[in-house]
Amino acid sequence: REAGAALFARHWEAARRAALAITAQPAAADDVAQAAFVRAFAALDRFDADRPFAPWLHRIVVNGALDHLRAERRLVPMADPPEPPAREGPGDA
């Protein structure tokens, strides 16, 4: 528990900044960074302890932020698509 708290304290600001750079929304950045820590802690058994933690967490944050943007894009109602340009046939010119 203490190790988790230490990792959180050490890496929270960088994780939030990365999420904010991608989402451009402070509330979303907080959610994405927090979810990234949850995912990282749940996957610690797959983490290679011979490698640095920060880049691994950063990748989790980036993936989470991109997923957030994709989900947000699916939820935003799109305006009516523009009409395709009329094609001129051989006798129309």
Side-chain angles (χ1 to χ4, degrees):
R1 186 174 276 232
E2 287 180 29
L7 283 172
F8 185 84
R10 175 184 254 173
H11 297 285
W12 169 254
E13 283 303 319
R16 187 181 182 283
R17 271 194 312 273
L20 185 59
I22 294 169
T23 65
Q25 302 167 14
D30 287 341
D31 292 345
V32 166
Q34 183 177 18
F37 274 97
V38 170
R39 282 201 268 328
F41 289 154
L44 275 176
D45 60 328
R46 295 182 309 219
F47 174 65
D48 181 356
D50 293 333
R51 296 176 164 260
F53 182 78
W56 184 66
L57 178 64
H58 181 79
R59 177 52 27 200
I60 295 170
V61 170
V62 168
N63 288 345
L66 294 174
D67 288 345
H68 172 82
L69 290 180
R70 286 183 198 107
E72 193 175 67
R73 208 174 323 134
R74 284 191 299 264
L75 296 175
V76 174
M78 295 183 62
D80 292 333
E83 292 293 322
R87 292 189 166 186
E88 294 182 11
D92 293 339

